[in-house]
Amino acid sequence: MPELPEVETVVRGLRPALENRVISGLALSPHRLRFPYPENFVERLMGQRVIGVRRRAKYILVSLEGGQTLLWHLGMTGRFTVKPPAGPARNLGEFYDEAATEAASAGAHEHVTLSLDDGSRITYSDARRFGFADLMADAEMETHKLLRDIGPEPLGNEFNAEHLAREFHGKKAPLKAALLDQHVVAGLGNIYVSEILHRSGLRPARAAGTLSARKPNTQKLELIVRNTRAVLEEAIAAGGSTLQDFAHADGSAGAYQQRFAVYDREGSPCQTPSCTGTIKRIVQSGRSSFYCPRCQK
DNA sequence: CGGGACTCCTGCCAGC
DNA sequence: TGCTGGCAGGAGTCCC
């Protein structure tokens, strides 16, 4: 599912396809996505030149020359496919299961088709339609409802032990929920939070506030910060290499197999060196969490 | 106000 | 074999 590393991978794939190109056509399917498209969506995008593509949290932000920014969220099953003027289509994001990727490549659930001035086309497919698009003036970025309250980027300097100490202070919510909260830190999702907590030796059900009492447990907080960065950077590196494979290969999928230490590994032996535990699955606020009861405290 | 439940949607798969 | 129910998950919204 698209969490920060997957969105980053998609952004890196979209960048060369979109930057400097002019939008020459835009077609929408009759189905709306999670939210209705913004007013005059097509008209406002037509003829616009793309000057930049970047990521904030799990949002894709496309800057347009005319002073507008296109915001896109992939939801859970959103994916972009780039079709160059000649040659095979390139599916951005091989982190989805193979069947869904094939379906998208075959044109199923296509909701938006963007034509560019170099003859290429970019399509957005989204089986569950949890994704959505929005369009705003650049000046509205700071105050945009979906962006203004988002926490620091986990790979930036603002995400540190002091920040977590402040955010966790007095929190009764479990660590799992606290790290999933986009206001605490941006971009983490269900899968990576399990991985980060496993690497940090912390139980997902542990109350976040226990790490930030009157005297914050700085060591543990720093461990979370360090492992968050490590897990995300490894995943981005893996995604990036997938993209490269894809760019110079014949379009075959499956070169990249994500290896998780705990996610979806219930009943498997814990991979922590010298740990003899077995991965357990629990449900927290309707979501699965995976952890090792032996080495996570 | 914090925290949890519910909601959107469709594909997949275990179990009957 | 074919159907059904449960599950997957991002994040806004609602309610206690």
Side-chain angles (χ1 to χ4, degrees):
Chain A
M1 303 307 127
E3 299 184 29
L4 185 152
E6 290 75 25
V7 178
E8 181 64 32
T9 299
V10 170
V11 163
R12 290 179 187 188
L14 283 175
R15 198 169 279 145
L18 271 176
E19 274 182 0
N20 256 331
R21 298 270 62 84
V22 172
I23 298 170
S24 57
L26 184 63
L28 308 179
S29 81
H31 300 279
R32 53 166 258 188
L33 300 177
R34 181 172 183 189
F35 304 119
Y37 292 103
E39 223 168 302
N40 301 322
F41 188 55
V42 174
E43 293 79 0
R44 288 165 68 193
L45 285 176
M46 286 293 283
Q48 294 288 317
R49 183 182 297 276
V50 174
I51 54 178
V53 185
R54 65 193 194 284
R55 180 192 59 74
R56 170 75 173 118
K58 298 172 195 168
Y59 293 102
I60 297 164
L61 298 171
V62 180
S63 299
L64 304 168
E65 204 170 38
Q68 298 183 103
T69 295
L70 173 64
L71 172 150
W72 214 295
H73 196 289
L74 299 173
M76 294 182 40
T77 54
R79 83 246 1 248
F80 283 100
T81 306
V82 176
K83 295 173 182 166
R90 201 161 63 91
N91 211 313
L92 301 184
E94 294 313 303
F95 40 88
Y96 298 99
D97 61 276
E98 222 167 293
T101 297
E102 272 174 37
S105 300
H109 303 293
E110 281 186 5
H111 296 295
V112 181
T113 304
L114 203 63
S115 303
L116 302 171
D117 61 342
D118 63 349
S120 62
R121 274 187 314 166
I122 296 179
T123 56
Y124 175 73
S125 311
D126 190 345
R128 293 181 207 172
R129 311 211 304 274
F130 276 17
F132 58 91
D134 199 6
L135 189 57
M136 73 196 97
D138 291 344
E140 294 172 44
M141 287 271 291
E142 302 264 309
T143 55
H144 192 279
K145 208 176 126 193
L146 298 171
L147 299 175
R148 68 181 175 213
D149 296 323
I150 288 181
E153 285 292 323
L155 299 177
N157 292 332
E158 283 176 46
F159 179 63
N160 52 42
E162 294 73 45
H163 171 75
L164 281 185
R166 277 194 303 277
E167 290 290 339
F168 286 1
H169 189 77
K171 246 198 201 330
K172 290 183 183 142
L175 282 171
K176 173 74 184 305
L179 290 174
L180 271 182
D181 185 343
Q182 302 297 298
H183 305 119
V184 172
V185 53
L188 301 185
N190 204 45
I191 295 172
Y192 291 113
V193 168
S194 273
E195 297 298 313
I196 290 161
L197 289 174
H198 177 251
R199 245 187 238 205
S200 305
L202 295 164
R203 288 194 186 217
R206 178 166 173 172
T210 63
L211 295 183
S212 188
R214 205 161 294 160
K215 193 175 163 214
N217 192 332
T218 308
Q219 278 191 344
K220 292 277 199 309
L221 295 172
E222 275 171 0
L223 207 53
I224 294 177
V225 170
R226 198 157 54 236
N227 287 321
T228 299
R229 294 206 173 112
V231 165
L232 295 178
E233 277 166 4
E234 286 165 27
I236 290 171
S241 66
T242 306
L243 209 60
Q244 278 182 5
D245 287 349
F246 224 80
H248 60 63
D250 57 358
S252 60
Y256 166 50
Q257 281 197 320
Q258 182 82 54
R259 291 254 167 230
F260 299 121
V262 287
Y263 182 79
D264 206 20
R265 294 181 62 92
E266 184 182 20
S268 301
C270 178
Q271 295 177 7
T272 301
S274 79
C275 179
T276 57
T278 302
I279 304 307
K280 195 177 165 193
R281 172 184 177 268
I282 57 170
V283 175
Q284 296 178 281
S285 43
R287 298 282 180 264
S288 290
S289 296
F290 299 87
Y291 74 105
C292 170
R294 185 171 285 257
C295 68
Q296 290 179 254
K297 310 286 181 195

